[in-house]
Amino acid sequence: MNTKMVIPCAASFEEAAQLINMGEVVGFPTETVYGLGADATNEEAVKKIFRAKGRPGDNPLIVHIASLSDIHNVIYGEMPEWAQKLAEAYWPGPLTMIFDKGENIPSAVTAGLDSVAVRIPGNTDAQALIRAARKPIAAPSANLSGRPSPTTAKHVFEDMNGRIPLIIDGGESDVGLESTVLDVRTLPVKVLRPGGVTPKMIADVVGEVEVAGSVMRPLKEGETVLSPGMKYKHYAPEGSLVIVKGAAEKVAHAIIDMYDATEGEKCILALEGNLSLYEGRNVFSLGKNPEEMAHRLFDALREMDARGINAIFSEAVDAEGIGLAVMNRLGRAAAFHIVDAGE
Ligand code: AMP
Ligand code: MG
C-alpha cells in the first residue's frame, strides 16, 4: 500500500472521510499528537488500527467527536452534571473523559471494557475530518506501539508508511503530549493519564480531583490497571534513558559525571537556560519551559533514535502543571530510572 501525504483542504478532508467510511484508517493531526483514525462504529475498521500500530488488543482507543450533540451516539445514558461542566470549560481541547459505553461502540474500541473514552479535539483539521466523515472516529496516537507519539506528519510517515493509505499533514501538534485521561463516572473524578488539562484546571471546575498513583511510578505487580495503556512500555527511544532531578547545578554535575563515564553515542537533554552548564558535550535543547518541553519531547526522543544515540541523560522538570504530564511521559520512557542529585 502506498501512503499518501496531503495538506488539509476541503478535497483532502473529503478523501479522508471517504476512506474512513470505506473502513480504512487515516493519519490526522490533533492539538495533542497525531491520531490514527477509523470509523468508531465499524469493528473491522477499528481492528485495522490495532494491526497498523502493532497495538495489543487490550489497550483501548479514544473516540473523537466534533460536537457535544454527538455524544449520545457514544456513551450510555446522560453525562453526569460535573462532566458537563468540564466539557463546557475544556472541550474542544486536550481532555478525554471516560463514561459508560454506549451500544453503538463495538467492544474492539474499548478493549472489552464497559467504559468508553471520549474527546472533542480543538484542532480545526481534526474537527473538519470528523464532520466530513459524519462518524465518531476512534483514534489512538499514530505511532507504532511502544515508540514515542508522533507530533508531525513526518513522524507518522516514519512509522506508518505502507500501513495506511493517507496522512493529513497539519504541521506540528500544538500541545505535543497526549490528552489528559479523566474518569468522570464517579466523584471525585480521577486523572488516569496527565496531559494538557492539568489537575488544577480540573479542580477549578469540579472542586476535587484525584490523580492515579501509577502516574509517577511503574505499576506494582498485580495492581489493577485503570488506564490499560499505562501497563505497556511506552514513548521509549531505542537508547537507554536516565532522568536526573534536583537543583540545576547539581543535576548538571551528576549528568556530566555519568555522561563522561559512558562509551558510545550519547546525548544530554536540557532546558535552554541550562545549556551552558554542559559545554563541550553533545546537548539537545528541550526548550525554555515545561510547555515548550511538552511540545518538543517526543520529537527529541525520535531525534535521538535518528542520530543513533544509545545513552540519553535528561534533566527533570517539576511535576507541576503541564510538568506532571512531561514527567509522566519522560518517566515512562526511562522506565522510571530517575536519579536524585539533591537540592
Ligand atoms: P493513546 O491515545 O494511543 O495514548 O491511547 C488511548 C489511551 O486512552 C490509552 O492510554 C488508554 O489506556 C486510554 N483509554 C482509552 N479508553 C479507556 C477506558 N475506557 N478506560 C481507561 N482508559 C482508557
Ligand atoms: Mg499512544
Side-chain angles (χ1 to χ4, degrees):
M1 183 190 298
N2 283 329
T3 302
K4 194 162 115 179
M5 285 253 240
V6 293
I7 53 160
C9 64
S12 57
F13 293 133
E14 204 41 57
E15 183 178 3
Q18 271 184 23
L19 285 165
I20 284 176
N21 277 290
M22 281 158 38
E24 290 300 329
V25 176
V26 302
F28 68 101
T30 86
E31 71 275 32
T32 57
V33 300
Y34 273 70
L36 207 53
D39 175 356
T41 62
N42 177 340
E43 175 144 32
E44 285 312 309
V46 167
K47 285 184 180 160
K48 286 186 188 169
I49 296 178
F50 285 86
R51 284 204 292 275
K53 278 183 68 95
R55 184 178 179 102
D58 64 351
N59 191 1
L61 312 179
I62 294 169
V63 177
H64 295 73
I65 55 176
S67 85
L68 207 48
S69 57
D70 296 333
I71 201 162
H72 299 290
N73 302 323
V74 176
I75 70 171
Y76 178 82
E78 296 298 316
M79 280 171 90
E81 160 239 332
W82 52 88
Q84 286 182 25
K85 285 191 190 151
L86 286 164
E88 263 166 45
Y90 302 121
W91 275 356
L95 175 68
T96 294
M97 292 196 260
I98 308 281
F99 300 94
D100 293 327
K101 182 179 94 64
E103 281 157 15
N104 292 339
I105 300 299
S107 66
V109 171
T110 64
L113 297 175
D114 55 11
S115 58
V116 61
V118 187
R119 181 165 101 83
I120 301 184
N123 179 293
T124 51
D125 298 333
Q127 287 259 346
L129 174 64
I130 303 167
R131 288 185 201 282
R134 299 171 195 274
K135 292 277 167 53
I137 293 185
S141 52
N143 51 290
L144 284 174
S145 198
R147 291 209 76 202
S149 298
T151 54
T152 66
K154 179 172 156 278
H155 294 163
V156 182
F157 191 80
E158 276 168 19
D159 283 15
M160 291 298 147
N161 183 20
R163 292 170 177 260
I164 59 173
L166 191 82
I167 301 168
I168 298 175
D169 182 354
E172 287 179 21
S173 304
D174 274 348
V175 180
L177 296 180
E178 304 86 343
S179 57
T180 305
V181 176
L182 186 71
D183 191 342
V184 297
R185 287 173 296 169
T186 50
L187 288 176
V189 296
K190 190 166 192 176
V191 174
L192 308 185
R193 173 176 79 180
V197 174
T198 63
K200 169 155 189 319
M201 290 164 72
I202 295 164
D204 284 348
V205 174
V206 294
E208 200 190 340
V209 60
E210 254 180 56
V211 178
S214 52
V215 160
M216 282 311 295
R217 59 164 170 76
L219 286 171
K220 294 177 189 151
E221 203 163 312
E223 181 172 355
T224 316
V225 200
L226 296 171
S227 182
M230 307 271 286
K231 74 179 177 216
Y232 293 103
K233 175 179 164 214
H234 221 141
Y235 319 117
E238 282 154 28
S240 68
L241 171 60
V242 180
I243 304 165
V244 184
K245 66 174 187 182
E249 301 273 337
K250 290 196 171 162
V251 167
H253 209 103
I255 287 183
I256 286 170
D257 279 351
M258 286 189 280
Y259 180 96
D260 289 350
T262 302
E263 301 286 326
E265 296 301 319
K266 46 195 178 175
C267 190
I268 296 163
L269 303 180
L271 282 168
E272 188 103 10
N274 297 336
L275 293 183
S276 60
L277 299 173
Y278 301 99
E279 240 175 57
R281 289 157 183 99
N282 188 20
V283 53
F284 188 96
S285 172
L286 287 176
K288 291 196 230 9
N289 51 44
E291 282 75 22
E292 285 193 14
M293 208 164 157
H295 183 76
R296 286 192 196 181
L297 179 65
F298 288 140
D299 184 57
L301 294 178
R302 280 176 179 263
E303 182 64 26
M304 296 299 105
D305 286 352
R307 294 187 189 181
I309 303 291
N310 49 43
I312 308 163
F313 306 95
S314 179
E315 294 184 341
V317 282
D318 287 339
E320 291 294 324
I322 185 84
L324 179 67
V326 171
M327 285 307 289
N328 166 266
R329 304 309 192 278
L330 198 54
R332 292 178 57 72
F336 290 100
H337 187 173
I338 304 177
V339 172
D340 191 347
E343 285 308 314

